[in-house]
Amino acid sequence: MARKKSTKKTPSKTAKKASGKPNNKRKSAPAGKTGKKTARRTGRKSYATAESMASAQRSISVSEFFAKNRHLLGFDNPRKALLTTVKEAVDNSLDACEEAGICPAIDIRIEQIDDDHYRVTVTDNGPGIVKKQIPNIFGKLLYGSKFHRLRMSRGQQGIGISAAGMYGLLTTGKSVQIISRTSKRAQAHYYELQIDTKKNKPAIIEDQTIEWEHEHGTSVAIELEARYARGRQSVDDYLQQTAIANPHVSLTYHAPDGREDHYPASIDELPPTPKEVKPHPEGVELGVLIKMMQDTRAKTLTQFLREEFSRVSARVAGQIIETAGLRARTRPRRLDGEDAKKIFKAVQQVKIMSPATDSVVPIGQEQLIAGLKQVVNAAFYTSVTRKPAVYRGNPFIIEAAVAYGKPDKKNTEKETPGEQARKSEDADDGQVAKLIRFANRVPLQYQQSACATHKSVVGMNWRSYGLAQGRGAMPQGDLTVVLHMASVWVPFTSESKEAIASYPEITREIRLALQECGRKLGRHIKKNVRIRQELKKRSYIQKYIPAIGEALGDILDLDERQVDTACDNLKGVLERSRKL
Ligand SMILES: Nc1ncnc2c1ncn2[C@@H]1O[C@H](COP(=O)(O)OP(=O)(O)OP(=O)(O)O)[C@@H](O)[C@H]1O
Ligand SMILES: [Mg+2]
């Protein structure tokens, strides 16, 4: 108390400064002459006040944020920017075609305009886009049809294509050009759009109807600062891997160097349509639950739980409400944060059926191997599709495949198993295994070491399957590992959708899938080693057969022909008694 008094009577200099009263001119004045003078006089720096900071505080538009943080969206360098742009457009085309039940046929064209200036055009045969929606889809970040639902698709955030357009605009000043047509009877619409980053709104530069040769579909063209190079993490790589995981897709690629690649569809059927699911109560966070309670149209708590969540029957809803100590007929909007907490806790206590898993569609074991065979010529292949599992209430499936050893295709048929074994073992020297990653059939190219798949591969003991491996490193050998996660919501580590987050349930499934493949691979490698050792022993004995023949000839007084026959017989006995 005494201290409080003394402060009031004779306030110290510091207390005065900290009081933030308007009579403190130096504080409220903008950093300028006055501030400098005082700073010089007192020998201290001029600091901001809550008031001076308030004058600079304002909301940030989502486009301004991502324009500054373009690396979060996968536009950190020109080479990656080219890949991200192609990827966003192709992924959208594939999603749209599949949702509309159309076997996708996509045309990808990259033209070099200048040294570091490219134009990407992606044209699909999808359902097209309704005219009214075109400006928002391509000229507004966080606008899409996939974010508010739980359904397996390549896109999920509503950022992808508008971000690519924004990057193009920022680096070249050029608008995004869109042509879209919804049916033979409808006209094709042509738009030139720019994103107004301050407002996160589309600016329409050009809007007209045109003649277009396609009956339905969408074409998007973006000019951007970019760099084209082949090899790892390239557009070429991405398209090749897309073809592996999407055998129903037909791709035509016109590279900037004049090359034209075709990836025809190897099956003419679409994969089964994934079902949309409602969130599972166990996976919903408290904040989300509160928001859902505010937004719901349900009139009673029972109705809310039954209608907004999956796997909640009337009986389960009753149990949750009883455990939470609430009333079934209460309006959800009337409930407060404390009540939400009670429901949240009750959900964890009541036994609720696991989420329905027909919402996730795997690539399939055979299809994975067929795809892998298109790019890796190996001696051994195996794959596994795990049973559906759940993380944070979201169903998911992990698939893995491995390809191992490199047979010389031309000579494979003539080679003995021993020769093949030696060859594949020789190929292992110092070579590091390759990992191909997919999330909802989309190849992931960057941030490998941040990905749950990579962490699981390096965390496995591959030595027990007969491969060399340094501590915490990828296994060595002529090995290609493919991992695919299919889910209604893939938990990416950032908006650029490059790496899968390491939820324990996900890493466990990946580990189990890898172990299953690893065991089969181990048997194959061990068999190869056995063959190799046997061959070594055989050749050791074979070396002495001519000498034994000669000795037999001397002892038994045999002529040359008889010695040859004896040698042949000995070889026959050796091969029969020591089977490979
Ligand atoms: N080629 C297309 N054909 C039909 N609809 C499309 C096409 N491209 C985009 N769309 C629509 O535009 C929306 C926005 O696309 P965008 O790529 O910005 O986000 P997204 O695909 O929903 O999510 P993500 O940011 O993860 O890619 C999509 O949700 C889809 O409804
Ligand atoms: Mg998208």
Side-chain angles (χ1 to χ4, degrees):
M1 275 299 205
R3 214 173 135 210
K4 206 178 174 186
K5 251 182 185 172
S6 77
T7 322
K8 264 191 178 171
K9 267 183 183 173
T10 50
S12 71
K13 267 185 188 168
T14 356
K16 232 183 186 177
K17 264 183 223 162
S19 73
K21 281 181 185 167
N23 67 352
N24 190 342
K25 276 184 189 160
R26 184 176 67 81
K27 292 298 205 58
S28 48
K33 222 177 167 188
T34 338
K36 265 186 201 162
K37 254 188 192 171
T38 325
R40 221 177 289 134
R41 207 168 51 233
T42 57
R44 289 201 196 124
K45 279 182 192 161
S46 151
Y47 290 110
T49 62
E51 285 74 16
S52 70
M53 282 162 77
S55 67
Q57 287 160 351
R58 59 175 188 270
S59 66
I60 301 151
S61 110
V62 59
S63 346
E64 280 179 310
F65 174 81
F66 282 117
K68 253 192 181 171
N69 290 299
R70 56 175 77 154
H71 54 277
L72 293 179
L73 298 174
F75 295 96
D76 18 351
N77 63 63
R79 183 165 186 249
K80 196 166 159 192
L82 187 67
L83 170 69
T84 305
T85 304
V86 171
K87 187 170 176 245
E88 293 302 345
V90 172
D91 288 353
N92 278 355
S93 292
L94 294 177
D95 272 347
C97 288
E98 285 172 17
E99 249 181 78
I102 301 165
C103 263
I106 321 273
D107 187 274
I108 303 108
R109 184 179 294 275
I110 305 179
E111 296 152 285
Q112 184 162 15
I113 290 175
D114 223 326
D115 253 5
D116 57 355
H117 188 157
Y118 287 78
R119 181 185 162 89
V120 170
T121 312
V122 174
T123 309
D124 66 49
N125 60 338
I129 303 169
V130 170
K131 174 178 164 50
K132 183 166 85 60
Q133 295 294 343
I134 297 175
N136 279 339
I137 285 176
F138 296 92
K140 184 181 171 100
L141 290 189
L142 290 180
Y143 192 91
S145 55
K146 305 165 199 166
F147 184 84
H148 290 102
R149 65 180 195 196
L150 282 179
R151 185 178 190 268
M152 182 182 161
S153 59
R154 296 167 181 81
Q156 46 189 44
Q157 299 167 159
I159 303 182
I161 198 64
S162 37
M166 181 173 77
Y167 173 81
L169 178 68
L170 290 173
T171 54
T172 67
K174 295 281 163 70
S175 314
V176 183
Q177 297 171 336
I178 302 111
I179 305 173
S180 196
R181 189 173 180 190
T182 52
S183 77
K184 205 158 75 173
R185 289 176 304 278
Q187 279 183 307
H189 295 285
Y190 171 78
Y191 268 97
E192 281 181 25
L193 296 169
Q194 297 193 349
I195 187 166
D196 177 346
T197 45
K198 275 230 153 55
K199 296 188 190 137
N200 187 33
K201 274 189 175 162
I204 301 172
I205 310 299
E206 182 92 48
D207 162 13
Q208 49 176 281
T209 47
I210 57 159
E211 291 293 317
W212 200 38
E213 68 268 32
H214 303 275
E215 280 183 9
H216 53 86
T218 301
S219 172
V220 49
I222 296 174
E223 285 190 30
L224 70 157
E225 188 184 297
R227 191 167 70 81
Y228 172 75
R230 295 177 70 176
R232 274 195 69 223
Q233 302 179 320
S234 63
V235 173
D236 304 49
D237 231 19
Y238 158 77
L239 292 176
Q240 192 189 46
Q241 291 180 14
T242 301
I244 295 179
N246 300 274
H248 59 291
V249 169
S250 126
L251 299 173
T252 306
Y253 171 43
H254 313 268
D257 53 17
R259 250 177 333 109
E260 207 175 288
D261 285 345
H262 290 282
Y263 297 98
S266 53
I267 47 173
D268 54 7
E269 235 177 84
L270 283 169
T273 310
K275 289 211 175 92
E276 184 172 347
V277 286
K278 286 179 185 153
H280 191 271
E282 279 170 16
V284 173
E285 281 141 5
L286 183 58
V288 178
L289 181 65
I290 295 172
K291 177 98 185 38
M292 285 174 78
M293 281 176 8
Q294 300 301 315
D295 296 346
T296 185
R297 286 198 194 142
K299 295 207 171 70
T300 66
L301 187 52
T302 311
Q303 200 188 353
F304 167 68
L305 291 170
R306 290 196 59 188
E307 286 179 5
E308 304 275 338
F309 296 97
S310 67
R311 300 303 207 202
V312 179
S313 60
R315 192 179 54 83
V316 171
Q319 282 177 346
I320 296 172
I321 295 168
E322 198 189 318
T323 316
L326 297 169
R327 285 184 32 236
R329 300 184 65 82
T330 317
R331 269 186 177 266
R333 276 165 176 255
R334 293 248 172 89
L335 297 171
D336 59 16
E338 277 310 306
D339 295 329
K341 225 183 227 170
K342 285 180 193 160
I343 297 176
F344 183 75
K345 276 195 186 148
V347 161
Q348 315 305 322
Q349 287 164 27
V350 172
K351 196 160 170 29
I352 307 170
M353 224 170 144
S354 299
T357 43
D358 50 2
S359 50
V360 268
V361 179
I363 297 171
Q365 276 176 238
E366 280 160 28
Q367 216 48 63
L368 256 181
I369 291 185
L372 197 50
K373 279 185 177 163
Q374 286 176 28
V375 285
V376 187
N377 177 23
F380 171 82
Y381 298 90
T382 187
S383 68
V384 58
T385 298
R386 295 276 312 158
K387 285 215 179 75
V390 174
Y391 83 93
R392 260 182 49 201
N394 298 318
F396 72 97
I397 288 181
I398 295 292
E399 294 181 280
V402 301
Y404 179 76
K406 199 168 273 314
D408 184 349
K409 219 176 174 188
K410 280 182 210 145
N411 304 327
T412 307
E413 278 121 53
K414 288 175 218 147
E415 280 171 353
T416 65
E419 280 163 336
Q420 284 179 30
R422 197 165 350 161
K423 231 177 204 173
S424 74
E425 212 165 277
D426 290 346
D428 289 359
D429 294 343
Q431 197 175 330
V432 175
K434 189 180 172 201
L435 173 63
I436 302 179
R437 304 172 287 140
F438 295 102
N440 285 356
R441 294 175 183 255
V442 177
L444 308 179
Q445 311 278 80
Y446 280 87
Q447 289 198 35
Q448 176 166 284
S449 54
C451 189
T453 54
H454 180 261
K455 287 181 187 165
S456 306
V457 173
V458 299
M460 273 236 320
N461 179 11
W462 292 89
R463 288 181 297 275
S464 64
Y465 306 123
L467 289 169
Q469 184 189 21
R471 225 165 185 258
M474 287 291 280
Q476 283 182 8
D478 192 3
L479 177 74
T480 305
V481 180
V482 178
L483 278 165
H484 175 224
M485 175 177 182
S487 179
V488 295
W489 188 265
V490 179
F492 290 112
T493 57
S494 99
E495 293 80 353
S496 55
K497 300 182 283 184
E498 289 160 344
I500 300 168
S502 301
Y503 281 93
E505 298 88 348
I506 298 175
T507 47
R508 179 175 179 273
E509 278 301 309
I510 299 175
R511 198 180 59 243
L512 291 172
L514 287 173
Q515 281 171 351
E516 220 172 308
C517 288
R519 278 193 292 275
K520 289 183 204 156
L521 173 66
R523 280 200 288 276
H524 168 81
I525 292 178
K526 275 182 197 131
K527 189 175 145 204
N528 267 3
V529 171
R530 217 184 53 236
I531 292 171
R532 203 167 150 79
Q533 285 169 348
E534 181 50 41
L535 275 177
K536 226 178 192 173
K537 284 181 195 161
R538 256 196 215 176
S539 71
Y540 186 73
I541 301 172
Q542 263 168 355
K543 212 162 73 183
Y544 294 104
I545 288 181
I548 296 171
E550 263 176 44
L552 279 178
D554 285 351
I555 298 165
L556 302 175
D557 199 16
L558 303 176
D559 61 30
E560 221 171 90
R561 202 175 48 82
Q562 286 170 315
V563 169
D564 285 346
T565 314
C567 284
D568 286 345
N569 287 343
L570 279 173
K571 268 186 205 157
V573 170
L574 179 69
E575 271 163 30
R576 272 199 305 279
S577 63
R578 304 194 68 94
K579 280 201 177 112
L580 283 175

